[in-house]
Amino acid sequence: MSEPTPPKASPSEDRERPVAPSQIDRRGFFRGAAALTVGGFGAATELAAPEAQTTVAAPISADAVQRLETQTQSALRWIGRDPADWVRPRAGVDHNVVIVGGGQSGLSIAYGLRRKGVGRVEVIDRAAPGEAGIWRSIARMHQLRTPKTLAGPELGNAALSFRAWYETLNGTTSFDTLDRIPRTAWADYLDWFQQTTGTTVRYRTRLLEIEPQGDLLRLHLEQDGARRTVTARKVVLANGYAGAGGPNVPEFIRALPSNLWTHTTGNIPFESLAGKIVGVVGAGSSAFDAAAVALENGAAEVHLFSRRAYIDYPAPPGPAPAQAPPPAPAPERGYPNLLEQSYELPDVVRWRNFVLGDRRVASVPFDSLQRAVEFDNFKIHLNSSLSDVAAAGNQLTGKVGSKSFRFDHLIAATGYRIDLAAQPELARIHEAIALWGDRYKPEAGEENGAGASHPYLGAGFEFLPRGSAGAEYLRNIHCFNLGAALSFGIPVGDVPSVVDQPRLLTAIARDLYVEGIDTAANKRFVDAPLSAPSSAPYDKAVATREVA
Ligand SMILES: Cc1cc2nc3c(=O)[nH]c(=O)nc-3n(C[C@H](O)[C@H](O)[C@H](O)COP(=O)(O)OP(=O)(O)OC[C@H]3O[C@@H](n4cnc5c(N)ncnc54)[C@H](O)[C@@H]3O)c2cc1C
């Protein structure tokens, strides 16, 4: 299984404290500006600079930076201080909540918990500072794939939104003129969001294993190469797309020498692919993005293999052709403004929606398609499954039907799998977790092995026990990653899934609140004699009884 490059350890850097917003390093803001000077697509290490990136935007002025800071400070003052931590401490517990993952989900959830008054929340990430999340590493597209107008991690606080950040730095019309959000601008915005919300992440800290201890969770961590354990009441797995089973690597690729192939979640050696023949297995967005970067780095030929008969893509930008408006979405598929209700759909509807999604051809953004197709040395092979793939020295050979191919490198753009048994941190407990295969029996003809392996989650993203008794600790592990896709009807971790975070926050707060209820203290409070304050302030107005 190909993994993203592990972070480098540095003993000198333990915990990265965000600076107060008033002290934010101005270079942080200007990194956005530098990116914008090349059209919003800043230099990511493995990306070449394609022609599409040459639109020059005005550099960001110091005034704009100051305006953003002033505006943000005002907004933070207007929403008021964070409530005091109301969670009753529990003996032997280090953290009320540990959030695993400091990407966009982890940052947003941490902010949401703070605004709910949940204290002693720890965010950990195995990555080094600046390397958490995907936006400066394995995301290779120029623009986010999702629409620019979606709600983001700001959780309703408009002054902390991407639009507020972007427009204040780049001018009031700048957001309107965007097609979608530039990828590196999104990465810069998330950095700013983290700094502005004062969210501390303990970097270079990997969760190795969750060990239940009664209803508590003992977490085995590796921090800068050293092992330690901490105890938490709640764990949120905000560990990304690969966090519930890892990348999906077909067996025939996994069996090849590891230097001859890379999954798209890995560090593809693009620079060494100049002049080489590259094969791409898969035809989703990541396949096209990886193909484009290989071509931009001078690959001699890139061959993309799709099992399907066509490539799906949304309508290209520009005026819509004269035709009838699209039909209203079926309520059973979920309305765009009501996505958070998808969890409430009956199992049979959630299951069928998943099966439909599994059957459909994944849609590729039009610009990602164009970016690769404009190269004459890019070939798409439809209805083509590679077979007989084998290593021959430093090359690979393979076949589609009777046609033979030779490659210097193969890129597996084959997505992710859901397989809790493959997650090291769940090694001790995965067998106790209820899966869809345990809880739902599909009708004949609707079986789906991939769906059956998804965890069957509770309404607060919590794992549920497989059996009718025991393993109650599972309810304290909240799965906010791709494993939640079937239960919540949406790829969890995506920007659209932010709408489901209030459920998670409410569930965590509810559990901690209810657990902290002290019935004896409540009785003492209710039984305490009521004492009236001094009547001095109103004495003179008190009517005296008239004497007859
Ligand atoms: C190539 C690609 C493009 C995408 N494009 C879009 C898009 O355009 N729009 C959209 O809405 N969604 C998109 N997504 C989906 C989703 O938005 C992103 O994956 C997003 O990064 C999810 O954020 P996250 O915080 O949930 O996870 P991530 O950003 O993946 O962050 C997870 C973090 O967890 C850390 N971690 C993992 N395991 C451990 C561990 N054991 N211990 C400690 N830390 C750990 C990782 O280091 C990482 O920093 C895309 C996904 C991919 C893969």
Side-chain angles (χ1 to χ4, degrees), residues 67-219:
R67 215 168 25 250
L68 177 65
E69 194 166 333
T70 308
Q71 162 186 296
T72 307
Q73 286 309 309
S74 298
L76 292 177
R77 208 172 59 247
W78 292 332
I79 63 166
R81 288 171 187 274
D82 294 334
D85 175 7
W86 49 260
V87 183
R88 288 220 164 111
R90 185 168 156 183
V93 169
D94 299 305
H95 307 291
N96 289 324
V97 185
V98 170
I99 299 172
V100 183
Q104 63 189 34
S105 301
L107 296 178
S108 177
I109 292 164
Y111 171 58
L113 286 172
R114 246 208 356 265
R115 294 300 300 170
K116 275 217 172 304
V118 175
R120 296 170 79 197
V121 175
E122 173 93 335
V123 187
I124 63 167
D125 200 298
R126 65 187 176 190
E131 293 176 10
I134 64 158
W135 304 112
R136 294 196 182 93
S137 53
I138 63 165
R140 304 179 174 97
M141 65 285 195
H142 292 329
Q143 312 186 82
L144 261 60
R145 297 168 186 159
T146 32
K148 63 182 178 182
T149 46
L150 293 172
E154 71 276 5
L155 297 179
N157 184 350
L160 299 184
S161 66
F162 176 84
R163 183 170 189 151
W165 175 82
Y166 194 81
E167 268 188 12
T168 312
L169 289 180
N170 298 290
T172 40
T173 56
S174 60
F175 183 82
D176 288 333
T177 56
L178 287 179
D179 172 17
R180 301 193 309 279
I181 294 178
R183 173 177 55 83
T184 53
W186 182 249
D188 291 344
Y189 158 71
L190 289 175
D191 288 349
W192 173 81
F193 178 83
Q194 178 179 1
Q195 288 174 326
T196 302
T197 57
T199 304
T200 300
V201 176
R202 193 183 288 276
Y203 290 105
R204 299 191 181 92
T205 304
R206 180 189 293 260
L207 172 65
L208 299 174
E209 194 168 20
I210 301 175
E211 177 191 355
Q213 282 194 333
D215 63 337
L216 296 178
L217 304 161
R218 188 159 185 253
L219 307 183

Side-chain angles (χ1 to χ4, degrees), residues 490-535:
I490 198 171
V492 173
D494 279 33
V495 179
S497 68
V498 163
V499 298
D500 273 318
Q501 285 184 13
R503 281 178 173 278
L504 172 72
L505 302 174
T506 301
I508 291 175
R510 178 200 58 217
D511 290 355
L512 293 172
Y513 182 48
V514 170
E515 185 190 305
I517 289 172
D518 179 343
T519 320
N522 173 261
K523 175 151 176 60
R524 284 196 299 277
F525 175 72
V526 170
D527 290 349
L530 300 175
S531 59
S534 158
S535 62

